[in-house]
Amino acid sequence: MIKRLKVSLVGNPNSGKSTLFNRLTGLNQKIANFPGVTVEKKTGSMTINSGDGFDYQIDITDLPGTYSLYPKTLEEQIPFQVLCDPTNESHPDVTVIIADGTNLKRSLFLCSQIVDLKSPAILVVNMMDQVTKSGVEINFIRLSKELGIPVIPMNARDGDGIDFLKKAIISKITVPENDFIDTALFAPEVVQSIRQSVKLNSNYVAFQIANNIDQISFFNDRQERRAQIKEILNRHGFDHSIMQASETLKRYEVISLLVKQVVKAKNAIPSKEKTFTKKLDNLLMHRFWGYFIFLAILFVIFQAVFAWAAWPMEMVDEAFTWMSIKVHDAIPEGVFNDLLVEGILAGLGGVVIFIPQIVLLFTFIAILEDTGYMARVSFMMDKLLRRFGLNGRSVIPLISGVACAVPAILSARTIASWKERLITILVTPLMSCSARLPVYALLISLVVPDHKYLGIIGLQGLVLFALYLIGFIAAMGSALLMKFLVKAKERSYFIMEIPVYRMPRWKNIGYTIVEKVRVFIFEAGKVIVAISVVLWVLSSSGPGAAFKDVKSQLETADPADTQLQNHLAAEKLRLSYAGITGRAIEPIIEPLGFDWKIGIALITSFAAREVFVGTMSTIYSVGGSDEDIATVREKMMAEKNDKTGLPQYNLAVGWSLMLFYAFAMQCMSTMAVVRRETGSWKWPLIQFAFMGVLAYISSFIIFRILS
Amino acid sequence: MQGDFKKLSEIKLGESAVIESFTDDTMKLKLLEMGCLPGEVVTVTRFAPFGDPMAIAVADSMLSLRMSEAANVLVSVRS
Ligand SMILES: Nc1nc2c(ncn2[C@@H]2O[C@H](COP(=O)(O)OP(=O)(O)OP(=O)(O)O)[C@@H](O)[C@H]2O)c(=O)[nH]1
Ligand SMILES: [Mg+2]
């Protein structure tokens, strides 16, 4: 027989909830060493065999961290809604509370609130390895008795204690008998009146409702109920902040006594982690060296991404060329062959080749996050970023925006002030993400000579670095502008916990990278294949007699006369549907130095930037007729401007295009996530327009200057 | 000891003080739930490069807060 159970993991930020979640479900939630990694709820499942004929199918929900049941930031709303709204789809049958054993007092605060909700709960005391190392002993039996719920010691990193937890989850858990503290004492009439009007488990649930009446989504469909309760609150002059403060103080008073009874610091040595952290911080957070080291780390990352990735990239390139030739030879000549080889394979190759660089970039970011260094960078940058209307916590979105803007924008949830969060969301897409890398690299190889300075520093690498820097400067400049335009309602905060340093978990980082690369290839691949096919159809068919005429001329033309062939193929493309569209927008983009062929690429890469390479290769293989497989780069190199007869991709056009891709919002996924995070289409549309104008003006100026 | 309250933002690097009270309600709730309780000893462990924000050691954790936030926390210096 199968029984189903719903379990939620709640606890303070950075206490190891996601680590435990991954252990239990075998999934791969992001883990890192700073508070606020998980900002969305995520559900997974596991089965537990009880040994007496029952199989338990357990749905486990990993939640963002929170310090209390009084949410203060957006991500803290989620555990609150799940626990305090009985109609929530993830409302648990069993709540598993994860405490950080090295910070038991604060963890017990949230725990005691959940105990008072009077629903089945288990306390997991995590980080036991560190607790033991620092010579501290915890009396779990006593703790369990006092709280009235099962308590399980755990080391989620290594998996010690997992089996006990599984057993506890499927055992019959009774709700705690006694209140941890009786909150009715603070507001007796209010608690009583609420309990009379709604059926509730405990006094504390009533007290919770009184404090959070506007936030509990349960009352969204029960507005008359909400009004009724608000009336009760008004009548008794219920003051939220006094009530919450009294509750907090009372809880900590009881917890202090409890901790004295159950925690024995036998030979309390300051834990190795803490001493080590202090020493390392003296260096890494030093007034001067702190910044210097941060810049040095960034520089090393960029150099490494371009130097170390060169060799594997060549291998990928060769593998793709080899494959293209094989496929080209294996399938009969014709439209289908061209589509497969020169549209899809070339488009995919243009993206796949960047995997080595993306892997390196992601690895470095993951290491910075998993050691705990990112929290330090936030700390050091807060004052600087505040001048630009941002927050120290904006560091994480900005840096992870170099990989991809979508998760970066989600991570801005931990910023408590709406204005700072909004500005962070609006400027993050200006950071050069990994989808721009293929575009930059192709264009740089076309227009920037391969000079070397001092033997090691390459000019092409420098230009690439400059493009990233330009993206960052644009982000900061725009932030400054928005700081004056966006009206602020609330004050901003920077109260954040700084974790101890931890050794990164290589296996965890490895899994994360594999997962990210898989998603990248898969997502990019889908779009590229789809757009290649559509583009192929649109560029090899066209309206009217003129197109038909050229097409039949091309078919009957003398194969030996390559000049005529090329001329006819180009004419055919010009008259095709794609060509017509490109020519329609040509007047708008001509001032930037772009012709209608680039116009087609701009349209196709509206949905995703990395489509650029595939589009270019499709266009140039339809537009030319040479039989040998030249790379996109060679084809673009050979392209002549219709009017001047000089190479089309000169320095001016190259830079103009690069700046356009650096600034323009060409990513549907980013727009969708901005809409979700800001709640309306207003901001993504403003962002789209702003970035578009910025891109147009910058390209226009650079094109004028260079040509 | 009485009457000698200072703002947390006025405490020097490396010095300790005892939390007494808060002058701002929102900040108070946020700090209380993170374990900054009246009676707890705080030690100023670090200032960011431009002197703001500051890092404090309180209970078992290290917290960062801005000077403007620390100005809302009244402390007494132990003699
Ligand atoms: N030493 C030790 N470290 C642990 C243990 N469990 C988790 N960690 C580390 O603690 C850090 C935080 O772990 P996460 O699982 O991301 O914590 P979380 O509770 O999901 O954090 P948020 O999502 O930010 O709320 C990571 O660096 C983990 O490797 C443990 O039992 N012992
Ligand atoms: Mg997490």
Side-chain angles (χ1 to χ4, degrees):
Chain A
M1 230 184 90
I2 293 182
K3 285 191 181 176
R4 292 190 80 101
L5 272 183
K6 275 191 282 185
V7 170
S8 293
L9 305 180
V10 291
N12 290 169
N14 214 33
S15 58
K17 297 175 294 300
S18 302
T19 310
L20 183 61
F21 177 83
N22 289 353
R23 281 257 162 222
L24 293 172
T25 59
L27 292 176
N28 232 320
Q29 264 284 71
K30 176 166 176 180
I31 299 172
N33 189 18
F34 62 90
V37 179
T38 310
V39 291
E40 283 187 298
K41 73 176 177 191
K42 162 102 183 180
T43 303
S45 70
M46 66 167 176
T47 41
I48 304 178
N49 195 310
S50 70
D52 56 10
F54 287 117
D55 273 336
Y56 286 83
Q57 168 77 32
I58 318 249
D59 291 320
I60 307 177
T61 309
D62 184 23
L63 293 167
T66 182
Y67 291 104
S68 75
L69 291 183
Y70 298 110
K72 298 190 174 51
T73 53
L74 219 74
E75 89 277 10
E76 289 185 345
Q77 285 279 348
I78 299 169
F80 169 75
Q81 295 296 354
V82 167
L83 291 177
C84 296
D85 178 357
T87 56
N88 189 291
E89 50 166 3
S90 307
H91 188 71
D93 301 310
V94 179
T95 309
V96 174
I97 307 157
I98 289 95
D100 175 350
T102 64
N103 204 332
L104 200 58
K105 252 192 203 174
R106 204 190 51 209
S107 310
L108 285 178
F109 176 70
L110 176 67
C111 172
S112 79
Q113 289 186 321
I114 294 170
V115 164
D116 282 344
L117 292 178
K118 292 289 171 64
S119 52
I122 299 170
L123 174 65
V124 165
V125 179
N126 195 24
M127 315 260 175
M128 278 313 290
D129 49 327
Q130 288 190 3
V131 173
T132 319
K133 258 197 263 169
S134 60
V136 170
E137 264 178 28
I138 302 174
N139 183 340
F140 293 103
I141 299 173
R142 181 79 186 268
L143 184 58
S144 166
K145 219 177 97 201
E146 299 289 337
L147 291 170
I149 59 173
V151 177
I152 292 161
M154 174 83 62
N155 172 353
R157 266 195 166 190
D158 296 334
D160 304 338
I162 295 282
D163 290 336
F164 290 109
L165 175 61
K166 285 186 181 169
K167 275 203 195 98
I169 289 174
I170 56 171
S171 64
K172 267 236 150 40
I173 298 176
T174 49
V175 298
E177 261 171 48
N178 301 318
D179 287 326
F180 191 83
I181 62 165
D182 187 3
T183 38
L185 295 176
F186 304 126
E189 302 94 347
V190 169
V191 167
Q192 214 176 29
S193 317
I194 292 179
R195 289 199 77 167
Q196 274 162 6
S197 95
V198 205
K199 199 174 148 294
L200 297 171
N201 275 353
S202 73
N203 284 346
Y204 187 52
V205 177
F207 188 76
Q208 257 293 323
I209 290 176
N211 271 297
N212 290 315
I213 182 68
D214 284 322
Q215 269 124 304
I216 301 181
S217 50
F218 176 75
F219 291 104
N220 287 354
D221 318 329
R222 299 165 177 81
Q223 289 296 353
E224 50 334 315
R225 208 54 97 60
R226 181 176 272 163
Q228 200 182 347
I229 291 172
K230 278 187 160 174
E231 206 278 312
I232 298 176
L233 297 179
N234 276 336
R235 183 147 30 93
H236 296 284
F238 188 90
D239 183 323
H240 302 256
S241 70
I242 294 178
M243 286 298 146
Q244 285 175 37
S246 319
E247 180 200 333
T248 309
L249 290 172
K250 183 71 192 166
R251 283 190 191 281
Y252 269 114
E253 193 186 312
V254 180
I255 289 168
S256 288
L257 290 176
L258 176 61
V259 167
K260 274 205 188 97
Q261 292 169 344
V262 300
V263 175
K264 288 232 158 42
K266 267 198 156 166
N267 39 354
I269 21 172
S271 78
K272 243 198 227 148
E273 274 85 358
K274 278 203 176 142
T275 352
F276 176 71
T277 294
K278 203 163 177 186
K279 276 190 193 148
L280 199 54
D281 275 343
N282 283 340
L283 181 66
L284 295 184
M285 285 161 95
H286 187 273
R287 279 160 190 260
F288 169 70
W289 293 113
Y291 282 136
F292 184 80
I293 293 172
F294 178 56
L295 287 180
I297 289 175
L298 288 187
F299 188 75
V300 168
I301 291 178
F302 273 98
Q303 277 303 314
V305 163
F306 300 111
W308 300 354
W311 178 73
M313 283 172 76
E314 252 165 52
M315 293 203 356
V316 174
D317 197 23
E318 271 166 30
F320 252 88
T321 314
W322 178 84
M323 206 159 76
S324 300
I325 293 171
K326 285 279 171 234
V327 173
H328 182 83
D329 293 346
I331 302 174
E333 293 275 332
V335 178
F336 180 65
N337 189 328
D338 286 352
L339 167 63
L340 204 60
V341 175
E342 299 179 7
I344 295 175
L345 273 182
L348 282 179
V351 170
V352 169
I353 188 171
F354 293 97
I355 287 174
Q357 290 191 332
I358 290 167
V359 166
L360 276 174
L361 194 65
F362 284 3
T363 308
F364 281 115
I365 292 179
I367 292 174
L368 293 186
E369 289 181 343
D370 212 22
T371 49
Y373 184 61
M374 282 300 208
R376 272 83 189 170
V377 179
S378 299
F379 179 74
M380 290 192 292
M381 294 295 170
D382 180 61
K383 182 151 189 195
L384 214 67
L385 289 173
R386 223 184 307 162
R387 300 230 171 99
F388 293 90
L390 299 167
N391 184 299
R393 283 186 173 256
S394 309
V395 162
I396 287 166
L398 289 178
I399 291 186
S400 49
V402 173
C404 175
V406 174
I409 284 170
L410 282 180
S411 69
R413 283 188 185 180
T414 58
I415 301 171
S417 135
W418 162 244
K419 179 175 173 177
E420 289 174 344
R421 177 165 168 260
L422 180 67
I423 297 180
T424 307
I425 290 175
L426 292 180
V427 305
T428 295
L430 284 167
M431 300 295 287
S432 281
C433 65
S434 47
R436 286 165 170 117
L437 204 53
V439 182
Y440 289 166
L442 176 63
L443 291 170
I444 287 177
S445 74
L446 277 175
V447 300
V448 178
D450 192 11
H451 283 319
K452 281 256 189 303
Y453 299 113
L454 303 173
I456 41 163
I457 302 175
L459 180 61
Q460 296 190 331
L462 277 181
V463 169
L464 195 64
F465 188 74
L467 282 166
Y468 277 86
L469 200 65
I470 289 171
F472 174 70
I473 293 170
M476 298 309 277
S478 314
L480 196 60
L481 184 69
M482 313 251 181
K483 181 185 170 190
F484 294 109
L485 295 182
V486 178
K487 297 278 170 291
K489 277 167 271 166
E490 343 110 293
R491 255 189 356 210
S492 86
Y493 278 95
F494 187 64
I495 302 178
M496 183 188 71
E497 207 188 340
I498 303 177
V500 294
Y501 285 106
R502 291 203 171 93
M503 203 52 199
R505 293 268 127 157
W506 301 111
K507 215 169 98 185
N508 161 32
I509 291 180
Y511 280 138
T512 314
I513 306 290
V514 169
E515 180 64 18
K516 282 201 168 146
V517 168
R518 197 186 62 81
V519 171
F520 180 81
I521 298 178
F522 203 70
E523 293 300 313
K526 264 193 315 202
V527 177
I528 288 169
V529 171
I531 290 188
S532 298
V533 172
V534 172
L535 184 66
W536 192 271
V537 172
L538 290 182
S539 53
S540 36
S541 56
F547 181 83
K548 259 201 203 120
D549 195 33
V550 175
K551 198 175 165 203
S552 58
Q553 275 187 44
L554 184 60
E555 275 155 14
T556 53
D558 174 13
D561 188 352
T562 40
Q563 217 180 351
L564 179 65
Q565 285 259 345
N566 280 345
H567 172 75
L568 286 173
E571 192 58 17
K572 182 182 150 201
L573 177 64
R574 209 175 67 84
L575 293 170
S576 71
Y577 290 110
I580 290 167
T581 324
R583 279 186 291 143
I585 67 162
E586 194 173 24
I588 310 173
I589 54 175
E590 208 177 356
L592 314 182
F594 305 162
D595 63 0
W596 55 271
K597 290 183 189 166
I598 298 178
I600 298 174
L602 289 186
I603 294 173
T604 57
S605 48
F606 170 75
R609 300 176 176 95
E610 61 271 28
V611 174
F612 177 81
V613 182
T615 301
M616 279 298 165
S617 70
T618 305
I619 291 174
Y620 286 112
S621 61
V622 178
S625 70
D626 39 354
E627 282 303 309
D628 40 298
I629 306 169
T631 60
V632 197
R633 193 175 152 257
E634 285 159 5
K635 282 176 184 160
M636 288 172 76
M637 196 92 105
E639 174 77 356
K640 296 279 185 295
N641 187 298
D642 290 344
K643 293 177 191 117
T644 59
L646 294 169
Q648 166 71 356
Y649 293 94
N650 54 22
L651 198 64
V653 173
W655 267 102
S656 173
L657 253 180
M658 287 194 285
L659 282 191
F660 194 88
Y661 274 81
F663 295 147
M665 169 66 105
Q666 296 158 296
C667 180
M668 286 303 255
S669 324
T670 304
M671 292 196 48
V673 82
V674 172
R675 195 216 87 94
R676 214 178 89 197
E677 293 299 294
T678 60
S680 75
W681 278 109
K682 176 182 162 193
W683 292 110
L685 289 176
I686 289 178
Q687 193 175 24
F688 180 78
F690 174 78
M691 290 173 70
V693 170
L694 183 65
Y696 194 90
I697 294 177
S698 320
S699 295
F700 178 76
I701 293 174
I702 197 87
F703 180 67
R704 285 293 113 132
I705 292 176
L706 291 179
S707 60
Chain B
M1 287 274 293
Q2 252 296 303
D4 230 25
F5 289 177
K6 272 189 176 177
K7 290 174 179 170
L8 176 58
S9 51
E10 294 163 357
I11 303 299
K12 293 199 182 66
L13 185 65
E15 285 182 7
S16 300
V18 177
I19 301 180
E20 296 291 342
S21 60
F22 305 88
T23 52
D24 176 276
D25 268 351
T26 356
M27 206 75 71
K28 173 179 177 177
L29 293 176
K30 175 83 188 150
L31 286 168
L32 281 182
E33 70 180 34
M34 291 183 82
C36 295
L37 306 164
E40 287 280 352
V41 177
V42 286
T43 310
V44 177
T45 52
R46 202 170 294 283
F47 286 101
F50 292 115
D52 186 15
M54 73 197 305
I56 56 170
V58 61
D60 286 320
S61 48
M62 175 146 77
L63 298 184
S64 77
L65 69 174
R66 291 176 177 167
M67 297 311 264
S68 57
E69 289 154 5
N72 290 312
V73 183
L74 294 184
V75 296
S76 63
V77 181
R78 291 183 304 178
S79 40

